[in-house]
Amino acid sequence: MSVAGPVHAPESTDTEDGLAADASGGAPTRAARLTTAATVVLVLGMLVSFKLTGRFAVSNVAQVVALVLLFMAHPRLLHPKDVGLLLLGLGSVAAAAYSVSAQYGYVIRLEHTLFFALVALHLVAMYRVCRDRGTARRWPRVSAGRSRWRSS
C-alpha cells in the first residue's frame, strides 16, 4: 500500500479574458464570478423599484453596482473604438429627449439622461464582454444556421 503525496489543486488555465475555469473544468475564475454577479444584481435590481428619493430608486443603485462589478471583473474592458458606440448611444438619448420635449413639451430631466447614459454604458460593456472575453465560446453553437429546436 503506497501513500500518495500531497494533493495540489490544478493550475488555473486563466487567460487574459479572465473567464477560463481551472484545468479540471472546475470553479470559474474571479472574473467569471463577478460577471455573473453583475448580471444577477442588475436583473434582481430591476424587480425592485422602491423609490429612495425623487426619481432615484433601488433599481438605479443595482444598475450602478452591476457596472462597478463588471468593471472590477474586466478592468480594461472598453476599447478606444467603444467611445464611438457610447457617443452613438448618448446621441440617441439626446435626440430622443429633444424629440419628446419638442413634440409634447416635456422638460428634459438630468435624471433621465443619466439613467439612459448608464444603460448605454452597460450595453456596450456587456457587448464587449460577450464578444472579446470568450463568453460565446462557452455555449454550444448552432451549426450552419440550423437549430435543433426547429422542426423540419
Side-chain angles (χ1 to χ4, degrees):
M1 179 173 211
S2 67
V3 176
V7 177
H8 297 287
E11 300 220 6
S12 173
T13 58
D14 194 16
T15 59
E16 183 181 322
D17 66 11
L19 289 175
D22 66 16
S24 67
T29 64
R30 176 181 179 269
R33 288 189 306 271
L34 285 172
T35 302
T36 302
T39 305
V40 169
V41 165
L42 185 67
V43 170
L44 292 179
M46 286 189 282
L47 301 174
V48 183
S49 60
F50 178 75
K51 301 286 184 201
L52 296 175
T53 178
R55 307 247 349 138
F56 188 66
V58 173
S59 57
N60 300 118
V61 174
Q63 184 183 23
V64 171
V65 168
L67 270 172
V68 168
L69 288 172
L70 200 57
F71 281 99
M72 282 174 54
H74 311 284
R76 296 174 299 201
L77 180 62
L78 298 180
H79 297 180
K81 62 185 171 185
D82 293 329
V83 173
L85 285 173
L86 283 172
L87 290 176
L88 180 64
L90 295 176
S92 299
V93 169
Y98 177 75
S99 174
V100 168
S101 175
Q103 187 173 5
Y104 299 108
Y106 290 154
V107 177
I108 298 174
R109 307 279 310 243
L110 178 62
E111 306 92 52
H112 296 146
T113 305
L114 289 175
F115 169 78
F116 287 112
L118 285 174
V119 169
L121 178 60
H122 201 104
L123 287 173
V124 170
M126 285 307 291
Y127 166 77
R128 191 54 64 197
V129 166
C130 291
R131 179 174 171 137
D132 293 351
R133 307 296 181 187
T135 307
R137 291 189 301 264
R138 297 194 175 12
W139 297 95
R141 293 195 172 217
V142 178
S143 62
R146 299 199 65 201
S147 172
R148 64 181 163 168
W149 305 109
R150 194 171 72 189
S151 59
S152 350

